[in-house]
Amino acid sequence: MSSTADDLGKRATAEGWPEPVSVKDIYERYGDFVWRNLRRLGIPEEATDDAMQDVFLVVHRRLSDFEARSSVKTWLFGIVLRVAHTHLRTARRRRVHVDDLAGKSEVESVATSDSESPAEVAARREASLLLHRLLGELDDEKRAILILVELEQMSVPDAAEAMSMNLNTAYSRLRAARHAFQDAVTRHRTMYGSNSP
């Protein structure tokens, strides 16, 4: 076993993974994480399967290079971010109206329980769509750091590593992202009334 594989094995054991770690293990543990964040980063629903496949192709190619200096989740988000940017850049070149496409379908599946009324489920789905619409108003880097820290509950140092940025820059960008998101919420409330989420 190479030292890289040894490092991955040690990191995986510390994170509670079976050893050896495979692409299948990563897919089973983080498939929902990848799908959810591709959607949050603006990938339209009809393109998400292709983007997921691209993410796991990169994981397959790069797994042996993973040095375990970060968590698998942090490393994986860096791949998700690059794949999302590539897909969106390609879509823009083809003049596909990504924002229009994203607004036509549900952004995230919303888990339901038997105790929820149809009105509660509908309200949660509407809130999810609104969240993604507001995230779509942010530039790519602000959106990504806000997703990592606020929605995925990742630490700022881990988010900085996932985005390959300096820690001070990450803190500064997070402050700017929170401010920009709050501005988007305020604009939405002004436009649609104060009773809106």
Side-chain angles (χ1 to χ4, degrees), residues 103-130:
K104 290 181 181 175
S105 60
E106 189 172 327
V107 176
E108 284 186 35
S109 61
V110 177
T112 60
S113 70
D114 293 338
S115 64
E116 284 186 302
S117 71
E120 290 170 326
V121 172
R124 287 195 319 120
R125 285 187 177 139
E126 189 171 321
S128 178
L129 286 169
L130 175 59

Short mmCIF file of all heavy atoms in Angstrom, two decimals, residues 103-130:
data_model
loop_
_atom_site.label_atom_id
_atom_site.label_comp_id
_atom_site.label_asym_id
_atom_site.label_seq_id
_atom_site.Cartn_x
_atom_site.Cartn_y
_atom_site.Cartn_z
N GLY A 103 -35.42 27.59 -12.08
CA GLY A 103 -36.66 28.01 -11.45
C GLY A 103 -37.86 27.18 -11.85
O GLY A 103 -38.91 27.30 -11.24
N LYS A 104 -37.75 26.34 -12.86
CA LYS A 104 -38.89 25.59 -13.36
C LYS A 104 -39.15 24.30 -12.61
O LYS A 104 -40.17 23.67 -12.80
CB LYS A 104 -38.71 25.27 -14.85
CG LYS A 104 -38.82 26.49 -15.71
CD LYS A 104 -38.65 26.12 -17.15
CE LYS A 104 -38.72 27.36 -18.03
NZ LYS A 104 -38.45 27.06 -19.41
N SER A 105 -38.20 23.85 -11.81
CA SER A 105 -38.38 22.58 -11.11
C SER A 105 -37.98 22.74 -9.66
O SER A 105 -37.31 23.69 -9.28
CB SER A 105 -37.54 21.50 -11.78
OG SER A 105 -36.18 21.86 -11.74
N GLU A 106 -38.37 21.79 -8.88
CA GLU A 106 -38.03 21.82 -7.47
C GLU A 106 -36.52 21.71 -7.31
O GLU A 106 -35.87 20.92 -7.97
CB GLU A 106 -38.72 20.66 -6.77
CG GLU A 106 -38.60 20.74 -5.29
CD GLU A 106 -39.45 19.68 -4.63
OE1 GLU A 106 -40.51 19.34 -5.16
OE2 GLU A 106 -39.02 19.20 -3.57
N VAL A 107 -35.96 22.52 -6.44
CA VAL A 107 -34.53 22.57 -6.28
C VAL A 107 -33.99 21.41 -5.46
O VAL A 107 -33.04 20.77 -5.83
CB VAL A 107 -34.12 23.92 -5.64
CG1 VAL A 107 -32.64 23.96 -5.38
CG2 VAL A 107 -34.53 25.05 -6.57
N GLU A 108 -34.59 21.14 -4.35
CA GLU A 108 -34.16 20.03 -3.51
C GLU A 108 -35.38 19.21 -3.16
O GLU A 108 -36.45 19.74 -2.96
CB GLU A 108 -33.57 20.54 -2.19
CG GLU A 108 -32.19 21.09 -2.30
CD GLU A 108 -31.61 21.45 -0.95
OE1 GLU A 108 -31.89 20.77 0.04
OE2 GLU A 108 -30.88 22.44 -0.91
N SER A 109 -35.18 17.91 -3.09
CA SER A 109 -36.30 17.12 -2.60
C SER A 109 -36.44 17.43 -1.12
O SER A 109 -35.46 17.62 -0.42
CB SER A 109 -36.04 15.63 -2.83
OG SER A 109 -34.89 15.24 -2.13
N VAL A 110 -37.66 17.54 -0.68
CA VAL A 110 -37.93 17.87 0.71
C VAL A 110 -38.50 16.63 1.36
O VAL A 110 -39.56 16.14 0.95
CB VAL A 110 -38.91 19.07 0.81
CG1 VAL A 110 -39.25 19.36 2.25
CG2 VAL A 110 -38.33 20.29 0.12
N ALA A 111 -37.80 16.13 2.37
CA ALA A 111 -38.26 14.94 3.07
C ALA A 111 -39.56 15.26 3.79
O ALA A 111 -39.74 16.35 4.32
CB ALA A 111 -37.21 14.48 4.06
N THR A 112 -40.47 14.32 3.76
CA THR A 112 -41.75 14.51 4.44
C THR A 112 -41.93 13.44 5.50
O THR A 112 -41.32 12.38 5.44
CB THR A 112 -42.92 14.44 3.44
OG1 THR A 112 -42.92 13.15 2.83
CG2 THR A 112 -42.81 15.50 2.37
N SER A 113 -42.77 13.74 6.45
CA SER A 113 -43.12 12.75 7.46
C SER A 113 -44.63 12.67 7.54
O SER A 113 -45.34 13.56 7.08
CB SER A 113 -42.53 13.14 8.82
OG SER A 113 -43.20 14.27 9.33
N ASP A 114 -45.11 11.59 8.12
CA ASP A 114 -46.56 11.39 8.24
C ASP A 114 -47.21 12.46 9.09
O ASP A 114 -48.40 12.72 8.95
CB ASP A 114 -46.85 10.00 8.83
CG ASP A 114 -46.45 8.89 7.88
OD1 ASP A 114 -46.35 9.15 6.66
OD2 ASP A 114 -46.21 7.76 8.36
N SER A 115 -46.43 13.09 9.98
CA SER A 115 -47.02 14.08 10.88
C SER A 115 -47.19 15.45 10.22
O SER A 115 -47.83 16.32 10.79
CB SER A 115 -46.14 14.22 12.13
OG SER A 115 -44.88 14.71 11.78
N GLU A 116 -46.63 15.63 9.01
CA GLU A 116 -46.75 16.92 8.35
C GLU A 116 -48.00 16.98 7.48
O GLU A 116 -48.32 16.04 6.78
CB GLU A 116 -45.54 17.18 7.45
CG GLU A 116 -44.30 17.56 8.19
CD GLU A 116 -43.19 17.93 7.24
OE1 GLU A 116 -42.83 17.08 6.40
OE2 GLU A 116 -42.71 19.07 7.33
N SER A 117 -48.64 18.12 7.53
CA SER A 117 -49.80 18.33 6.68
C SER A 117 -49.32 18.69 5.28
O SER A 117 -48.17 19.14 5.10
CB SER A 117 -50.66 19.46 7.24
OG SER A 117 -50.00 20.71 7.04
N PRO A 118 -50.18 18.54 4.27
CA PRO A 118 -49.79 18.96 2.92
C PRO A 118 -49.38 20.44 2.87
O PRO A 118 -48.47 20.80 2.12
CB PRO A 118 -51.05 18.69 2.10
CG PRO A 118 -51.75 17.60 2.83
CD PRO A 118 -51.47 17.86 4.29
N ALA A 119 -50.02 21.27 3.67
CA ALA A 119 -49.68 22.70 3.69
C ALA A 119 -48.26 22.91 4.22
O ALA A 119 -47.51 23.75 3.72
CB ALA A 119 -50.68 23.48 4.53
N GLU A 120 -47.87 22.12 5.24
CA GLU A 120 -46.52 22.24 5.79
C GLU A 120 -45.47 21.79 4.78
O GLU A 120 -44.42 22.42 4.64
CB GLU A 120 -46.40 21.41 7.08
CG GLU A 120 -47.18 21.99 8.25
CD GLU A 120 -47.26 21.04 9.44
OE1 GLU A 120 -47.33 19.81 9.23
OE2 GLU A 120 -47.26 21.55 10.57
N VAL A 121 -45.76 20.70 4.08
CA VAL A 121 -44.84 20.21 3.06
C VAL A 121 -44.69 21.25 1.95
O VAL A 121 -43.58 21.57 1.52
CB VAL A 121 -45.31 18.85 2.48
CG1 VAL A 121 -44.46 18.44 1.29
CG2 VAL A 121 -45.28 17.77 3.56
N ALA A 122 -45.81 21.81 1.50
CA ALA A 122 -45.77 22.83 0.45
C ALA A 122 -44.99 24.06 0.91
O ALA A 122 -44.22 24.63 0.13
CB ALA A 122 -47.19 23.22 0.04
N ALA A 123 -45.16 24.45 2.15
CA ALA A 123 -44.45 25.62 2.68
C ALA A 123 -42.95 25.37 2.71
O ALA A 123 -42.15 26.24 2.37
CB ALA A 123 -44.96 25.97 4.07
N ARG A 124 -42.55 24.15 3.11
CA ARG A 124 -41.12 23.82 3.12
C ARG A 124 -40.54 23.79 1.72
O ARG A 124 -39.42 24.23 1.48
CB ARG A 124 -40.86 22.51 3.86
CG ARG A 124 -41.03 22.67 5.35
CD ARG A 124 -40.47 21.57 6.21
NE ARG A 124 -40.66 20.23 5.75
CZ ARG A 124 -39.65 19.39 5.47
NH1 ARG A 124 -38.41 19.77 5.61
NH2 ARG A 124 -39.89 18.17 5.06
N ARG A 125 -41.29 23.26 0.76
CA ARG A 125 -40.81 23.24 -0.63
C ARG A 125 -40.67 24.66 -1.17
O ARG A 125 -39.69 24.98 -1.83
CB ARG A 125 -41.76 22.43 -1.50
CG ARG A 125 -41.62 20.96 -1.29
CD ARG A 125 -42.44 20.15 -2.27
NE ARG A 125 -42.19 18.74 -2.04
CZ ARG A 125 -43.10 17.81 -2.06
NH1 ARG A 125 -44.35 18.11 -2.32
NH2 ARG A 125 -42.78 16.56 -1.83
N GLU A 126 -41.64 25.50 -0.84
CA GLU A 126 -41.57 26.89 -1.29
C GLU A 126 -40.37 27.61 -0.65
O GLU A 126 -39.67 28.37 -1.32
CB GLU A 126 -42.87 27.62 -0.95
CG GLU A 126 -42.94 28.99 -1.59
CD GLU A 126 -44.31 29.62 -1.43
OE1 GLU A 126 -45.32 28.91 -1.53
OE2 GLU A 126 -44.35 30.85 -1.22
N ALA A 127 -40.13 27.34 0.62
CA ALA A 127 -38.97 27.94 1.29
C ALA A 127 -37.67 27.47 0.65
O ALA A 127 -36.73 28.25 0.48
CB ALA A 127 -39.00 27.60 2.78
N SER A 128 -37.60 26.19 0.27
CA SER A 128 -36.41 25.66 -0.40
C SER A 128 -36.18 26.36 -1.73
O SER A 128 -35.06 26.75 -2.06
CB SER A 128 -36.57 24.15 -0.60
OG SER A 128 -35.46 23.63 -1.28
N LEU A 129 -37.25 26.53 -2.50
CA LEU A 129 -37.12 27.23 -3.79
C LEU A 129 -36.67 28.67 -3.59
O LEU A 129 -35.82 29.17 -4.33
CB LEU A 129 -38.45 27.19 -4.54
CG LEU A 129 -38.81 25.85 -5.15
CD1 LEU A 129 -40.27 25.85 -5.63
CD2 LEU A 129 -37.88 25.50 -6.29
N LEU A 130 -37.24 29.34 -2.58
CA LEU A 130 -36.85 30.72 -2.30
C LEU A 130 -35.39 30.80 -1.89
O LEU A 130 -34.65 31.66 -2.37
CB LEU A 130 -37.75 31.31 -1.20
CG LEU A 130 -37.37 32.72 -0.74
CD1 LEU A 130 -37.40 33.72 -1.91
CD2 LEU A 130 -38.29 33.17 0.38
#
